[in-house]
Amino acid sequence: MNISSTDALIILDVQNDFCPGGTMPVLNGELVAARLTLVAKKFIQKKASVFATQEWHPKDHSSFLSANGQWPDHCIQFTSGADFHESLQLPVESNIVRKGSNKDIDAYSGFVDSQLRELLLEKKIARLFIGGIATDTCVLNTVIDAINFGYSTHVLTDAVAAYDVEPGDGDRALHLMHFNDAELIRSDDLSN
Ligand code: VGL
């Protein structure tokens, strides 16, 4: 597949708290980070855009167990847990999109409580290529929103990682994305 200037790579939440050593790690988070570093470089070489989302929660976010939510405290603003994983090296041209800073909004999609939609419209993006963490939460919800907004949406299956709270959750999420018309591709399907 050829990448062009109306394409965008969206890298979802490749942050320390979601990687090994963090408060709610996925298996292979660091491998996803390294893979997306290479993909991001390719997108910039092709004059396409790169967006990286970053969960940016206040310390009393409603999704936290400490606030009767569902998840361990994670990605708290200005802590190292919210930093991107060191294996994710973003080109300087990348756009960082923070999400989840409203404590009362518990959303997985990169389009909720963020500027992502406005930025994509501003840059006249038509096709999306999505990878990151986690397949069964943020990736799934972002992909479904992207399709509903009318984007031709591709998921990089070798650059995502799942929580698998129930075994198979990640695979079921990929099936659901495909069923909803997302294209499942691998990063080496992108031409050099
Ligand atoms: C996420 C669960 C809770 C994610 C964020 O980014 O995938 N998952 N908060």
Side-chain angles (χ1 to χ4, degrees):
M1 279 184 106
N2 287 317
I3 299 302
S4 69
S5 61
T6 53
D7 292 331
L9 171 67
I10 301 185
I11 298 174
L12 297 167
D13 301 357
V14 179
Q15 293 168 260
N16 286 329
D17 272 342
F18 298 135
C19 292
T23 58
M24 40 186 293
V26 296
L27 199 63
N28 296 331
E30 74 287 11
L31 300 181
V32 164
R35 175 78 37 88
L36 286 167
T37 293
L38 300 176
V39 180
K41 196 168 166 198
K42 189 178 285 185
F43 270 66
I44 295 301
Q45 281 166 353
K46 301 278 182 182
K47 309 262 179 287
S49 296
V50 175
F51 297 86
T53 68
Q54 182 179 34
E55 286 223 313
W56 195 246
H57 290 325
K59 62 181 182 320
D60 54 353
H61 192 261
S62 57
S63 74
F64 293 173
L65 289 170
S66 53
N68 292 322
Q70 179 189 359
W71 302 102
D73 295 7
H74 61 276
C75 301
I76 296 173
Q77 297 168 0
F78 305 107
T79 66
S80 58
D83 288 343
F84 292 118
H85 189 275
E86 62 179 6
S87 296
L88 180 69
Q89 296 290 326
L90 291 170
V92 288
E93 296 86 347
S94 307
N95 305 276
I96 312 281
V97 182
R98 287 181 170 164
K99 69 185 183 78
S101 54
N102 184 325
K103 94 172 169 56
D104 297 316
I105 300 181
D106 181 15
Y108 300 134
S109 170
F111 286 101
V112 177
D113 196 16
S114 85
Q115 295 293 308
L116 183 57
R117 178 114 168 96
E118 290 73 15
L119 290 167
L120 295 178
L121 288 170
E122 206 173 277
K123 293 185 188 284
K124 304 199 170 14
I125 301 299
R127 278 199 312 186
L128 300 181
F129 295 79
I130 297 182
I133 303 171
T135 320
D136 34 7
T137 51
C138 187
V139 176
L140 172 63
N141 285 270
T142 305
V143 165
I144 300 294
D145 278 354
I147 292 165
N148 286 334
F149 285 135
Y151 291 104
S152 165
T153 304
H154 302 70
V155 184
L156 300 168
T157 57
D158 58 335
V160 293
Y163 290 120
D164 284 331
V165 172
E166 298 291 333
D169 279 354
D171 285 343
R172 279 188 288 276
L174 286 172
H175 277 289
L176 194 56
M177 293 181 232
H178 183 60
F179 182 75
N180 280 276
D181 287 339
E183 258 196 70
L184 306 186
I185 65 166
R186 294 180 54 82
S187 52
D188 51 17
D189 293 330
L190 303 168
S191 56
N192 283 315

